[in-house]
Amino acid sequence: MERADQKRRPLTVMASSSSQVAAARGMGMGMANPLAEWTGRVRSLEAGVRAWLAKQPTHVEAAVVTVAGAVQGAALGGLMGTLAPDGGAALPVPPPPPGADPKVLASFKQAQALAGGPLVQARNFAVMTGANAGISCVMRRIRGVEDVQGSMAAAFGSGALFSIVSGMGTPNPVANAITTGVAFAVFQGGFFMIGQKFSQPKSEDTYYSRGRSMLQKLGLQNYEKNFKKGLLTDQTLGLLTDSALRDVKIPPGPRLLILDHIKRDPELTRAN
């Protein structure tokens, strides 16, 4: 019995040690990249929230997006105000002189709006980013697409509210709010168009894909612009004649090659 127990003990020890190694490996694999795991969870939660918002009415989505944008803006503004020099004042602004001109007083107000401490900056950024996010959401729902018009409308609203809340534009806050909103809209529209131009690849013109392929096979790709100028799309390839190619200023030699290729290619002949 003792010998049997002694034989069993090494097996038991080996089994327990192997299970411990497997458990340790499992824990190691689970904790190998906690940052990636956390990022995946955040993205999954964000996708779920977006899917839920897409099913809600416009006012519900706009309210949620506005609050989220305001919270983010408040955090950013408070951080900027805290990290600024002079105890949270971004720019040291002297007090206005007594009996100052209203225009001079307005300039002081504008400087103070940009030089407040953490609470002032948090308030200003919360209003600005919250309004921008909410108006963008409403415009996207109304127009069905996120375009430059919606972006400029959101920027105008956020700029006008920022001007009013921050106290800029005294003694004529309405006019200054409109001016600030227009300035925000112009800048936002310009940045939107620049970003759209550089972030999105140039879409290929599908109306001339067969014609482009044909010209490349024949080594006549330089005449693609002639096809586009004459609106000779893929639907007209089977109808092309010598006179039609002459009208778009294609020389006789290339015209013969193009017409012969179309006769030999049944797909181009059947193109409608």
Side-chain angles (χ1 to χ4, degrees):
M1 294 292 293
E2 293 181 357
R3 291 181 178 180
D5 293 338
Q6 291 177 356
K7 291 181 180 181
R8 290 175 181 176
R9 286 176 182 174
L11 295 176
T12 305
V13 171
M14 291 177 62
S16 61
S17 61
S18 61
S19 62
Q20 292 176 357
V21 171
R25 288 180 178 177
M27 293 176 62
M29 291 178 64
M31 299 178 61
N33 195 349
L35 180 60
E37 184 179 357
W38 174 255
T39 303
R41 291 181 180 179
V42 171
R43 289 180 178 177
S44 177
L45 178 62
E46 183 179 359
V49 172
R50 289 182 177 179
W52 177 80
L53 287 175
K55 299 178 182 179
Q56 304 304 314
T58 303
H59 65 278
V60 174
E61 182 181 7
V64 174
V65 171
T66 300
V67 172
V71 171
Q72 293 178 357
L76 177 61
L79 180 62
M80 291 177 61
T82 302
L83 298 179
D86 296 334
L91 295 171
V93 180
D101 185 81
K103 294 183 179 180
V104 177
L105 185 60
S107 300
F108 275 105
K109 289 291 185 179
Q110 293 178 359
Q112 290 175 356
L114 300 174
L119 294 179
V120 175
Q121 293 290 353
R123 179 201 63 189
N124 295 344
F125 274 81
V127 172
M128 184 168 55
T129 57
N132 192 295
I135 298 174
S136 296
C137 173
V138 174
M139 294 297 295
R140 185 174 62 251
R141 280 289 189 100
I142 294 175
R143 299 178 61 85
V145 65
E146 189 172 354
D147 54 8
V148 64
Q149 288 83 1
S151 179
M152 292 181 68
F156 176 84
S158 63
L161 289 177
F162 169 77
S163 176
I164 295 173
V165 172
S166 61
M168 297 170 61
T170 305
N172 194 354
V174 176
N176 194 78
I178 296 175
T179 304
T180 306
V182 171
F184 272 55
V186 171
F187 280 110
Q188 181 73 10
F191 285 130
F192 184 91
M193 295 180 67
I194 293 174
Q196 193 176 37
K197 181 178 180 180
F198 286 97
S199 62
Q200 295 181 356
K202 187 177 180 181
S203 59
E204 185 178 359
D205 196 344
T206 57
Y207 293 102
Y208 299 91
S209 60
R210 287 188 177 184
R212 184 183 303 107
S213 177
M214 176 189 67
L215 293 175
Q216 289 177 352
K217 290 180 181 179
L218 298 175
L220 304 174
Q221 56 269 17
N222 292 335
Y223 295 104
E224 181 181 347
K225 60 180 181 297
N226 300 69
F227 272 64
K228 292 183 177 180
K229 183 178 293 186
L231 300 180
L232 300 179
T233 63
D234 293 345
Q235 295 180 345
T236 66
L237 292 180
L239 306 174
L240 285 181
T241 61
D242 185 77
S243 61
L245 295 175
R246 190 188 308 117
D247 291 339
V248 296
K249 299 181 180 181
I250 296 180
R255 292 204 304 265
L256 293 174
L257 293 175
I258 292 171
L259 293 174
D260 181 70
H261 183 83
I262 291 175
K263 291 180 181 179
R264 295 174 181 272
D265 195 330
E267 293 184 0
L268 294 177
T269 304
R270 293 194 301 266
N272 296 321

